[in-house]
Amino acid sequence: DLYTHRRREKNAGSRCVISMHSGTTTIIHDPKNPEHMKSFTFDLAYWSHSGFQRDKDGALISTGSNSDFAGQKDVFRDLGQGILDSAWQGYNATLLAYGQTGSGKSYSMIGYGADKGIIPNVCEELFKATENKEKNQQYQVTFSMLEIYNEEVRDLLSKTKKPRGLKVREDQHQGFYVDGLTSVPCDSYAHIERLMEQGIKARTTAATSMNATSSRSHMVITIQFKQVFLDGDLTKQSIINLVDLAGSERQKSSGSEGDRLREGSRVNLSLTTLGNVISALADVATGKRVLHIPYRDSVLTRLLQSALGGNSKTIMIAAISPADICYEETLSTLRYHLLAKNQARLQTIQITWEHQLEEARKEWEEQYSTITQERQMMKAFPYLFNVNEDPQLTGVLKHFIQAGSSNVGQAASNKMILQGLGISDKHATFTNIDGEVTVMPQSKCRIVVNGVPTVTKTKLQHLDRVILGSNSAYLYIGFPSERSNDDVTKFDYDFFQSELAAAEGVSVDKLGAGNNRDGKVDPSVLAVFQDYIKLIPLVAEANQMSKELRKPDLETGGLVWIWSKAKFINRKYLMEEIYRHFLDGENISVAQEDDPFWDPVEAIHLGSAHVWLQSLAYCMKLEEQAELLNSEGLEEAVVLINIIPCSSTGEACSEDDMVINPLELLGRRIDFQIQILKCLGVKWLKEDARRGIQIGYKIYDLQTTLYTKSVWKTVNAKIEETVHFVALNASHEFLNYLQKNALIVDLWGLQEGCAELNCTQKDLIKWEGYVMVDNMKTSPAQAATSNQMADVYLKLLKLEQETELLRNMNRALREENMLLKDSLRGCGTGQGQIITQLASHKDVPQMCSPRTSHDADFAKALKVFYQRMNIVRGQFLKLRHYRPPDDDQMLRPFTQRQSHLLKDIGELLEDSLWKLKNDVALIVKKKRESLVHTKYRGSSFP
């Protein structure tokens, strides 16, 4: 699964957010804020994202000394060898692989192709060491393999399937054990290798019937290693547990918060309990008193109790993805710590080892004969091999198409027996005649070839993709003569689903690549596409289960249900649980409210429109025709809506009521009406005339959504509803909201049998019959502070008006000065000479121009005033940005500080205004006196 998920991540345009600068430290960068990083230190940290190449055997190795790449051999050297050492010393050992699906857990544990994981390497090295045993020693190795899914234990080495799985029991000496679990004696690594193949095949067969992947279950391999020393009558026994845990994302609830049903399956229970056990053990290690460690809360922790709570060697591999789209899951994995120890236990041997080994050899010979026959047939006949979402389960099942006709289906009478959802007893017929293979569906059974459904006989070509039933995927391998060195790995599970999506008109090439200049598809769109192709098979499976369980057709009568992804996945878990009971022949009747296939008819969200409220902040009327856009960004309808500022009696405001600055409304009462007049061209109603609509919206701090009355069976719906709102004391927050936000108007579709949408009247606050907004709860002290700020702001406005009046007075005086100057010039040159002579006489003091002196004084006074006003403005703006503390104990000091600041601002304003008035009055008085004096002196000379 490592390769598949890396390909998915790259296709989604992901970036690497993991770095490792040492052999113990892992650093993860927040993709939303790359400078923000977290560092985690472990015993060992392995880098496998880059810096590798393939050797002659096809295994991944480092490219050289400059590469930090760690291969499977490095991991075995550091971890696997320690497990073997513990086993030889007689101690138990447990290895757990943890991480989200696709992070590399199974790759590390089992491996892929030439890259063998820890499990096969441990087994192989164990038997290499036993080859050099002494005469007085005997080594006994037994192998078991089980799967835990939904708290049920399934024996992967048993030929018979037991309904409800095997029981976990407790023994005074043995502890917890699985009753009836097959434990096979082995005398070679080849024997264990065949058993692993058998177990994985059984796991695949079970998964195929539901198309469940290994990420939904835990796989536990247990190797019991016993050393018998005949001379000293001494026995050493150790148990090696190798655990491939289910995907860590299963810890989170996959259900929708609003869904009436919760996830009924217990897929994630084991991981949750394992976390709780680890947390409790960590508390014990730090000296805390722990009354209870919840081993018994899950099957996994019960079976691993001795491994977690004793004195054994326990190792956890935390596998992580380097992709930014996996950031949250990766961070969660890095935080998951493990403290696990174990205590060695001895088991009583009931029958001799030689007898057990002989029985195991007979069974192994039968299996080997079957495997040999299969390999010979692969060289002679065309065949189908399964393709699973988990590459570990891909290619495990092979169905050979021999000469002649071969019927395919679930019935035992068929030549090719297939399991899977939607596969009928007699599903199809494959024909192999004259070097040509064809497939013919039987009686409307579903067959898809290369993404396209077929209902007629179809010829198959080498490497064709075939889907039988709801989602049983197979790759067709043609005759030996048609084969070459084909790379079949590219035909993975995602390839099948992408091909299905392309056949339905949804492909990467059509995802808006032309919208970007570089021609690349937006990464967010790619991520949505990946989600889409993952959901395609799940929907097909849900539909098939509904059909087989004979559930009512939900599409009857044109009714529509829309489920979120989370809700659908939640329901599908529940569907699978009922379906499994159905397959086991059990009673599956449930109450309607507990039936995951049923939902009450409900209103459907059709689209939304945004109506900006900025005009209301200036007391301006808004008449809008807004497009209601659906989830695909297409127009669903057009709504006619008015937003009208009005008086307290509902009369529309005139243009004279407009304000230049919205802050003029601070602290004032604001009345306005929202009128929804019509909804035109509703597609929902065009599709089915029996349907209806409602419109809903919520403004600012309303605790409930307001809905219009319902309108049925009319494509152009007349609504004509008006709601009067009032804000008694407009706050900064409300005025800011009006300037920067939009009213979101939602269109809801009604259908027969669903309840109409209504607002909760008890959550509405009324004033004189009008709906109140801007009702955020404030303390009396905060209210007083807000009122003081409003008063200060009004004083500022008044000062600005008076300042403008003073500017006008100054302009008038300047004009008067100019007229007087022109008059003096018209009196003749002689006067000018006499005045000049007088002015230059040594007994007469030097005189400056009265106009220049007065203008300078006035400019100086205004400069001082403006400097003080800047100080006031700065303090006032700073005051506006202060927010009350959340701590009630700090509210009183905050209010007192606010009051002192407001008092200081008020005093400065009053003082500045008084000084400006006095300075201006003095300047005017001096100017008038100088004008009179100048006029008198000018007239005294003929």
Side-chain angles (χ1 to χ4, degrees):
D1 56 349
L2 182 66
Y3 301 121
T4 302
H5 283 79
R6 289 295 174 272
R7 191 183 300 119
R8 279 183 191 165
E9 291 161 359
K10 290 180 179 178
N11 290 341
S14 302
R15 294 179 293 108
C16 179
V17 294
I18 294 292
S19 58
M20 293 179 181
H21 302 298
S22 72
T24 58
T25 304
T26 298
I27 298 174
I28 182 169
H29 301 258
D30 188 341
K32 296 180 181 177
N33 184 10
E35 295 181 357
H36 183 238
M37 62 185 72
K38 295 181 184 295
S39 179
F40 296 85
T41 301
F42 301 94
D43 293 326
L44 294 164
Y46 297 104
W47 177 261
S48 60
H49 180 60
S50 59
F52 57 84
Q53 61 185 2
R54 292 195 179 277
D55 64 9
K56 56 183 178 59
D57 299 321
L60 298 179
I61 59 173
S62 172
T63 54
S65 58
N66 295 328
S67 171
D68 295 325
F69 176 79
Q72 296 282 42
K73 291 183 179 179
D74 300 306
V75 177
F76 173 75
R77 179 194 63 222
D78 297 336
L79 303 181
Q81 192 61 51
I83 292 173
L84 284 175
D85 292 343
S86 294
W88 280 105
Q89 294 171 23
Y91 294 105
N92 293 348
T94 299
L95 176 66
L96 302 104
Y98 177 88
Q100 75 177 105
T101 303
S103 59
K105 295 185 287 77
S106 298
Y107 174 78
S108 299
M109 297 295 280
I110 299 176
Y112 189 78
D115 291 299
K116 292 182 180 180
I118 290 180
I119 294 176
N121 279 322
V122 165
C123 296
E124 187 172 15
E125 291 299 319
L126 179 63
F127 278 105
K128 281 184 180 178
T130 59
E131 291 175 358
N132 300 321
K133 66 180 179 181
E134 298 179 5
K135 294 182 179 180
N136 62 340
Q137 292 179 350
Q138 185 183 62
Y139 299 130
Q140 300 176 1
V141 178
T142 59
F143 181 93
S144 63
M145 189 174 182
L146 62 85
E147 183 177 48
I148 303 173
Y149 172 72
N150 200 19
E151 288 300 280
E152 292 182 5
V153 177
R154 182 166 181 268
D155 187 352
L156 293 176
L157 300 182
S158 174
K159 295 180 179 179
T160 58
K161 178 187 175 184
K162 191 171 183 179
R164 297 287 187 171
L166 303 179
K167 302 297 181 184
V168 177
R169 306 191 186 282
E170 186 176 13
D171 179 80
Q172 183 177 1
H173 302 288
Q174 194 175 351
F176 288 108
Y177 68 97
V178 179
D179 189 16
L181 180 67
T182 303
S183 185
V184 182
C186 302
D187 61 354
S188 68
Y189 168 65
H191 195 172
I192 284 185
E193 195 173 32
R194 298 292 179 269
L195 289 173
M196 286 179 62
E197 288 181 12
Q198 178 185 342
I200 292 175
K201 187 171 184 178
R203 197 180 188 195
T204 306
T205 303
T208 302
S209 63
M210 290 289 299
N211 205 60
T213 68
S214 61
S215 64
R216 301 261 311 272
S217 63
H218 311 292
M219 185 184 71
V220 181
I221 288 177
T222 301
I223 299 171
Q224 294 187 6
F225 178 51
K226 188 175 182 180
Q227 305 173 63
V228 180
F229 299 90
L230 302 177
D231 291 346
D233 194 21
L234 176 67
T235 299
K236 284 185 182 180
Q237 180 165 302
S238 61
I239 298 175
I240 303 173
N241 293 303
L242 303 166
V243 186
D244 186 3
L245 294 169
S248 61
E249 68 274 6
R250 300 294 172 188
Q251 288 186 90
K252 300 186 296 186
S253 172
S254 63
S256 172
E257 289 300 321
D259 193 10
R260 61 189 170 83
L261 297 173
R262 288 291 178 262
E263 184 179 325
S265 65
R266 294 161 288 177
V267 171
N268 61 355
L269 178 62
S270 294
L271 283 179
T272 303
T273 305
L274 180 60
N276 294 337
V277 167
I278 291 170
S279 178
L281 290 171
D283 289 342
V284 171
T286 55
K288 294 182 181 179
R289 184 183 179 189
V290 177
L291 298 178
H292 172 65
I293 299 177
Y295 291 114
R296 297 176 179 271
D297 289 358
S298 79
V299 168
L300 178 66
T301 49
R302 268 180 278 167
L303 292 180
L304 296 180
Q305 178 175 358
S306 59
L308 296 172
N311 295 314
S312 78
K313 185 180 186 67
T314 302
I315 300 170
M316 172 173 277
I317 295 176
I320 58 175
S321 165
D324 55 355
I325 59 174
C326 302
Y327 172 75
E328 294 297 336
E329 288 291 351
T330 299
L331 190 60
S332 174
T333 299
L334 290 170
R335 287 171 171 163
Y336 197 86
H337 56 83
L338 179 66
L339 177 70
K341 297 182 178 179
N342 194 13
Q343 181 180 0
R345 297 178 184 270
L346 297 177
Q347 271 190 327
T348 303
I349 300 176
Q350 297 178 352
I351 56 177
T352 63
W353 171 252
E354 288 77 11
H355 178 70
Q356 293 181 57
L357 195 59
E358 184 60 31
E359 293 294 320
R361 281 199 188 102
K362 292 179 181 178
E363 186 175 345
W364 177 72
E365 288 172 359
E366 294 176 4
Q367 294 172 10
Y368 185 76
S369 175
T370 303
I371 293 171
T372 303
Q373 183 182 2
E374 182 180 89
R375 289 176 178 173
Q376 290 174 348
M377 294 182 71
M378 288 171 63
K379 298 177 182 178
F381 298 100
Y383 60 93
L384 302 171
F385 77 78
N386 73 303
V387 176
N388 194 280
E389 185 178 4
D390 184 352
Q392 297 288 340
L393 306 185
T394 292
V396 174
L397 305 178
K398 299 177 180 66
H399 302 283
F400 297 96
I401 306 172
Q402 300 184 43
S405 295
S406 302
N407 290 330
V408 175
Q410 296 211 32
S413 58
N414 293 301
K415 186 176 288 187
M416 294 168 57
I417 302 174
L418 299 184
Q419 303 293 326
L421 270 171
I423 294 182
S424 304
D425 286 343
K426 187 177 181 182
H427 196 88
T429 301
F430 283 85
T431 305
N432 178 355
I433 298 177
D434 298 331
E436 182 177 291
V437 173
T438 60
V439 59
M440 176 70 180
Q442 298 289 337
S443 61
K444 299 182 180 180
C445 291
R446 184 173 186 259
I447 295 181
V448 177
V449 178
N450 299 335
V452 181
T454 180
V455 294
T456 60
K457 181 182 286 188
T458 303
K459 180 182 177 182
L460 296 181
Q461 304 287 342
H462 178 54
L463 299 181
D464 274 353
R465 283 75 60 200
V466 181
I467 297 178
L468 304 175
S470 63
N471 195 40
S472 295
Y474 296 91
L475 186 67
Y476 169 70
I477 303 299
F479 291 92
S481 59
E482 299 178 88
R483 305 172 198 170
S484 57
N485 295 324
D486 303 299
D487 180 16
V488 298
T489 59
K490 69 177 182 179
F491 299 109
D492 58 8
Y493 188 77
D494 280 0
F495 188 97
F496 276 68
Q497 305 310 324
S498 297
E499 195 170 52
L500 279 175
E504 296 177 1
V506 182
S507 65
V508 175
D509 298 333
K510 297 181 180 180
L511 291 178
N515 294 337
N516 293 342
R517 294 180 180 178
D518 57 3
K520 295 182 179 179
V521 183
D522 187 273
S524 60
V525 177
L526 284 171
V528 172
F529 177 73
Q530 293 295 329
D531 264 351
Y532 174 73
I533 64 173
K534 286 180 186 178
L535 287 173
I536 289 177
L538 303 184
V539 172
E541 291 161 16
N543 288 336
Q544 184 60 37
M545 285 188 286
S546 175
K547 181 179 179 181
E548 292 188 29
L549 295 173
R550 297 181 180 179
K551 294 293 179 180
D553 186 357
L554 295 182
E555 297 180 357
T556 302
L559 299 178
V560 176
W561 285 262
I562 296 179
W563 288 354
S564 67
K565 175 187 172 183
K567 181 175 179 178
F568 168 68
I569 292 175
N570 170 50
R571 292 297 184 88
K572 187 172 181 292
Y573 284 141
L574 296 167
M575 293 174 187
E576 289 175 3
E577 195 164 1
I578 291 177
Y579 185 73
R580 291 175 68 244
H581 294 167
F582 164 74
L583 293 179
D584 292 338
E586 300 174 11
N587 182 18
I588 59 170
S589 59
V590 293
Q592 188 179 59
E593 61 271 15
D594 295 327
D595 189 347
F597 293 92
W598 179 84
D599 236 9
V601 181
E602 56 188 16
I604 302 297
H605 184 260
L606 301 177
S608 299
H610 288 68
V611 180
W612 295 99
L613 297 167
Q614 191 174 27
S615 61
L616 187 57
Y618 295 88
C619 288
M620 295 170 57
K621 180 180 179 180
L622 174 69
E623 296 179 347
E624 183 78 4
Q625 294 186 17
E627 293 181 342
L628 289 152
L629 303 179
N630 60 24
S631 58
E632 298 177 359
L634 303 176
E635 181 184 302
E636 180 67 27
V638 173
V639 61
L640 306 185
I641 184 170
N642 295 340
I643 299 178
I644 307 170
C646 62
S647 67
S648 59
T649 58
E651 297 175 358
C653 293
S654 64
E655 292 183 0
D656 295 336
D657 297 308
M658 289 174 52
V659 297
I660 297 175
N661 189 335
L663 284 176
E664 295 179 42
L665 302 175
L666 184 65
R668 286 171 48 183
R669 171 172 173 165
I670 300 178
D671 289 80
F672 62 96
Q673 296 177 345
I674 295 180
Q675 296 180 346
I676 299 181
L677 305 176
K678 295 180 181 179
C679 194
L680 307 176
V682 184
K683 293 181 180 178
W684 171 258
L685 298 172
K686 289 179 182 178
E687 294 170 359
D688 192 330
R690 295 170 295 177
R691 295 170 174 171
I693 63 162
Q694 278 184 277
I695 290 178
Y697 61 92
K698 186 165 66 173
I699 187 168
Y700 194 47
D701 59 351
L702 281 189
Q703 298 302 308
T704 187
T705 301
L706 298 176
Y707 295 99
T708 64
K709 66 177 182 293
S710 61
V711 180
W712 293 81
K713 305 177 183 179
T714 306
V715 174
N716 296 316
K718 290 184 178 181
I719 298 173
E720 298 179 344
E721 284 197 15
T722 300
V723 178
H724 188 130
F725 298 89
V726 58
L728 293 178
N729 186 6
S731 65
H732 287 280
E733 290 78 13
F734 180 58
L735 294 175
N736 187 58
Y737 164 80
L738 294 180
Q739 294 178 76
K740 296 183 179 179
N741 289 273
L743 180 73
I744 299 178
V745 181
D746 293 310
L747 177 64
W748 293 89
L750 305 178
Q751 42 194 338
E752 289 181 319
C754 78
E756 295 184 1
L757 302 170
N758 294 301
C759 68
T760 307
Q761 292 293 328
K762 66 178 182 179
D763 291 333
L764 292 178
I765 303 175
K766 296 291 188 70
W767 178 268
E768 298 176 351
Y770 304 146
V771 178
M772 289 183 64
V773 293
D774 199 12
N775 293 306
M776 294 182 178
K777 295 179 180 179
T778 56
S779 66
Q782 288 174 289
T785 301
S786 180
N787 290 335
Q788 285 178 311
M789 293 177 71
D791 291 340
V792 172
Y793 179 73
L794 293 175
K795 287 181 180 179
L796 276 175
L797 289 178
K798 187 177 180 181
L799 281 173
E800 288 182 356
Q801 293 169 357
E802 291 182 356
T803 303
E804 186 62 29
L805 181 62
L806 289 171
R807 289 196 189 101
N808 293 334
M809 289 173 59
N810 186 40
R811 281 194 290 269
L813 288 172
R814 285 184 178 180
E815 290 173 1
E816 188 178 349
N817 279 342
M818 294 299 294
L819 289 173
L820 287 171
K821 187 176 180 181
D822 291 340
S823 299
L824 287 172
R825 287 176 180 171
C827 291
T829 349
Q831 290 179 342
Q833 290 173 345
I834 293 170
I835 293 172
T836 303
Q837 289 172 0
L838 287 171
S840 60
H841 196 274
K842 63 178 181 179
D843 296 330
V844 179
Q846 190 73 20
M847 296 177 61
C848 62
S849 169
R851 171 180 170 272
T852 303
S853 174
H854 299 151
D855 286 352
D857 290 342
F858 187 72
K860 184 178 179 181
L862 282 179
K863 183 178 179 181
V864 171
F865 177 74
Y866 285 138
Q867 285 175 343
R868 290 192 172 196
M869 285 304 97
N870 283 335
I871 295 173
V872 171
R873 278 182 177 274
Q875 291 180 346
F876 185 72
L877 290 173
K878 189 183 295 183
L879 196 64
R880 280 179 56 194
H881 287 88
Y882 287 159
R883 290 291 179 266
D886 296 331
D887 188 355
D888 292 340
Q889 294 180 352
M890 299 300 296
L891 188 58
R892 183 180 294 275
F894 170 81
T895 306
Q896 290 176 348
R897 186 170 65 254
Q898 294 282 81
S899 298
H900 289 313
L901 288 172
L902 286 170
K903 183 180 178 182
D904 293 342
I905 292 172
E907 290 176 355
L908 185 56
L909 281 173
E910 295 290 345
D911 182 62
S912 300
L913 183 60
W914 177 83
K915 187 175 189 315
L916 180 62
K917 286 181 177 179
N918 283 349
D919 289 346
V920 170
L922 183 60
I923 292 169
V924 170
K925 181 181 178 181
K926 288 181 178 180
K927 194 160 190 176
R928 284 175 179 170
E929 290 175 353
S930 66
L931 287 172
V932 172
H933 181 66
T934 302
K935 184 177 181 182
Y936 171 76
R937 289 180 61 190
S939 63
S940 64
F941 295 93

